[in-house]
Amino acid sequence: MKKTIRFLAVFLSVVMMVALLCAAPASALSFECDVEQYSDTLLMINLDTGMEVFAKEADTRRYPAALTKVMTYIVAAEAFDDFDTKIPIKQSCIDSVINQGMSCSGVDWYIGESLTVENLLYAMMLPTGHDAAMVFADYVGEGNVQAFVDKMNAKAEELGCTDTHFTNPFGTHDDNHYTTARDLYKITKYAMGLPLFSKICGTSTYYAREDDDVPFITTNWLIDSGRGGDYYYVYATGVKNGSTQQAGRCLIANAVYDGYAYMCICLHAPYDESKDENEQYCMIEAANMFRWAFLNLSFVTPVTKDTPVCEQKVDHAWDTESILLVPETDFNVILPDGYSKGDIKIVPDSTDPVSAPINKGDIVTTATVYYKDEPFTQINLVSNDSVGVSPILYTTDAIRGILTSPWFLIAVGLIVVLFIVYVTVSSSYAKKRKRDKKK
């Protein structure tokens, strides 16, 4: 009996863990925001928690323009163990860029020479160098740019991007070249863990060589105090901007202030090449979104691990019928200043009875956390006490379960049918023998 109880307890624990691992946390919360918006897609995420604080059409497919180069960076960076590796700058690569109607950013000055991987990463990310991207695609793809693009798409799939497809490493327009704000967040968050990415994307001016007269200069005016003018935002730390006629103005921006870090993704803001429209709407928008978040949102703990959430019915327990469930850990979250505790609700995802034995701290179920009736995350609920199993109740329920199980009833039915058949056959056989004796 003890072995059976232990087996069932382990089995139920495994099933519960699998269910918790498979559960997808909700995170599509948008707080009220009075910032004037220019972009058709806007996503704001707190980088400390991964929590969305504002989202507008974050899953709508958009053309990413030069934001594509974040993925180009990933594929290029992961192809080299040493960023001091020198790559030759071939005339054919530069000609390919020019023949496709794209501009060069200065890598063309080094034709016939070599630049390091690090040099080219700066050239690609600061002035959004198509020439640098082409050099990487040619070198890593071994002369086959499509092979490099295939690696980009494979990486997007690996990162869980469900609405992303690349056709080139530059960001030039193609109807089949698209992504979403949420996919860009996954891509950029991953890139931030790669060597030099954050440093490069936070640099405004870079000289490839000490004797160079002309540097590579960022197009992201949020981080350029010298050239950014009114667009410069002192707390901005990177990442990348871009634009095409079809994509509009696009931006991925990070900012850090007073211990808080946010990422803002803006897609398809107004841009008209024919009108020489130079207003950087995404940069205005992102800076204002950062100000709103830093001034109005705070890191709080509305619920601790000692806060009772609910009671859960327990089967086969010794001397109790229910257990108290509490959060597994203190629940830390970003919320608007002045929020009311009544705005937070924690609703268990399952109220089905659980079986003893249960140890204090065991995960019993998950719960969805709501802010003003809008779901935004899940937490684990654990038992606040240990509960032993009652052998009598367990045995009684086991017997009841056997007696009421469909298979048991089918077996009983078969036995009854076989018995009736047996009696019928035996009776017929007896009658036949009796008739035979009379004859």
Side-chain angles (χ1 to χ4, degrees):
M1 174 63 73
K2 290 183 179 179
K3 290 183 177 179
T4 302
I5 293 173
R6 283 199 296 269
F7 171 78
L8 288 172
V10 171
F11 176 76
L12 290 172
S13 298
V14 171
V15 170
M16 180 63 70
M17 289 180 67
V18 170
L20 292 175
L21 289 171
C22 293
S27 60
L29 181 68
S30 285
F31 295 127
E32 294 179 5
C33 177
D34 58 0
V35 172
E36 183 177 2
Q37 295 163 21
Y38 303 96
S39 301
D40 289 331
T41 285
L42 183 59
L43 180 63
M44 186 86 164
I45 297 181
N46 176 266
L47 293 174
D48 307 297
T49 62
M51 177 182 164
E52 293 181 12
V53 297
F54 189 85
K56 181 178 74 172
E57 295 194 27
D59 291 314
T60 299
R61 288 182 179 180
R62 303 289 184 191
Y63 303 125
L67 305 189
T68 298
K69 291 186 176 70
V70 177
M71 178 58 82
T72 306
Y73 185 105
I74 292 173
V75 175
E78 292 190 333
F80 299 94
D81 293 326
D82 185 358
F83 281 13
D84 288 329
T85 300
K86 291 187 176 182
I87 300 178
I89 309 303
K90 300 190 298 185
Q91 181 72 56
S92 58
C93 288
I94 304 305
D95 289 344
S96 177
V97 170
I98 295 173
N99 292 338
Q100 293 181 62
M102 297 182 289
S103 61
C104 294
S105 63
V107 173
D108 54 316
W109 302 334
Y110 301 92
I111 293 173
E113 303 180 52
S114 294
L115 289 175
T116 66
V117 171
E118 182 175 339
N119 294 155
L120 287 166
L121 289 174
Y122 273 99
M124 183 174 70
M125 300 306 288
L126 270 61
T128 197
H130 301 318
D131 43 9
M134 176 58 80
V135 170
F136 276 130
D138 177 77
Y139 189 88
V140 176
E142 298 180 345
N144 186 346
V145 174
Q146 185 58 50
F148 186 89
V149 175
D150 290 342
K151 291 178 183 290
M152 294 170 65
N153 286 317
K155 194 66 181 183
E157 184 176 355
E158 178 187 324
L159 295 178
C161 300
T162 56
D163 272 303
T164 293
H165 184 262
F166 299 110
T167 62
N168 62 75
F170 319 107
T172 50
H173 178 70
D174 187 294
D175 288 346
N176 291 317
H177 189 98
Y178 55 81
T179 187
T180 68
R182 285 200 174 96
D183 279 359
L184 280 173
Y185 167 72
K186 295 175 185 177
I187 293 169
T188 308
K189 193 69 167 60
Y190 179 85
M192 289 168 63
L194 296 179
L196 291 182
F197 180 83
S198 295
K199 179 182 178 181
I200 289 174
C201 293
T203 299
S204 60
T205 303
Y206 174 79
Y207 290 90
R209 297 174 180 173
E210 292 183 359
D211 58 348
D212 283 348
D213 296 325
V214 181
F216 294 111
I217 299 172
T218 185
T219 58
N220 183 1
W221 295 345
L222 283 172
I223 63 170
D224 194 335
S225 59
R227 305 173 188 86
D230 292 338
Y231 296 110
Y232 174 68
Y233 182 61
V234 65
Y235 301 114
T237 59
V239 178
K240 190 84 186 75
N241 64 305
S243 60
T244 66
Q245 185 72 34
Q246 297 84 354
R249 294 216 181 267
C250 303
L251 174 71
I252 303 171
N254 289 349
V256 178
Y257 169 73
D258 197 25
Y260 292 86
Y262 285 92
M263 181 185 295
C264 185
I265 300 175
C266 311
L267 301 176
H268 204 250
Y271 176 64
D272 191 340
E273 292 176 340
S274 65
K275 296 180 181 178
D276 195 26
E277 176 60 77
N278 291 319
E279 191 74 79
Q280 296 287 342
Y281 291 103
C282 284
M283 297 183 190
I284 298 172
E285 187 175 43
N288 287 334
M289 288 296 295
F290 287 135
R291 293 185 185 98
W292 164 76
F294 291 141
L295 295 175
N296 295 281
L297 305 179
S298 299
F299 196 65
V300 296
T301 307
V303 178
T304 71
K305 61 183 179 181
D306 298 319
T307 303
V309 174
C310 64
E311 289 189 350
Q312 194 91 339
K313 190 176 183 303
V314 181
D315 292 335
H316 315 136
W318 185 272
D319 198 29
T320 187
E321 295 184 352
S322 63
I323 54 173
L324 185 65
L325 300 186
V326 296
E328 184 179 23
T329 61
D330 291 345
F331 176 50
N332 302 311
V333 68
I334 297 290
L335 287 177
D337 295 338
Y339 82 97
S340 168
K341 286 194 174 182
D343 294 336
I344 300 293
K345 293 180 182 178
I346 302 177
V347 181
D349 295 325
S350 173
T351 57
D352 295 337
V354 293
S355 295
I358 299 171
N359 295 318
K360 183 175 181 178
D362 283 352
I363 298 174
V364 176
T365 185
T366 57
T368 299
V369 183
Y370 293 81
Y371 175 77
K372 292 186 176 181
D373 298 324
E374 189 175 355
F376 70 97
T377 193
Q378 279 185 322
I379 60 174
N380 291 329
L381 296 182
V382 301
S383 174
N384 197 46
D385 297 292
S386 295
V387 178
V389 68
S390 168
I392 296 175
L393 291 176
Y394 178 85
T395 303
T396 302
D397 279 359
I399 294 173
R400 184 186 300 114
I402 293 173
L403 295 177
T404 58
S405 70
W407 291 111
F408 178 79
L409 295 177
I410 291 172
V412 170
L414 286 174
I415 292 172
V416 171
V417 170
L418 290 174
F419 178 74
I420 293 172
V421 171
Y422 172 77
V423 170
T424 302
V425 172
S426 297
S427 176
S428 298
Y429 180 71
K431 289 179 180 179
K432 185 176 181 301
R433 288 189 61 187
K434 189 173 181 180
R435 285 195 302 268
D436 290 343
K437 284 183 180 180
K438 287 181 179 181
K439 292 179 179 180

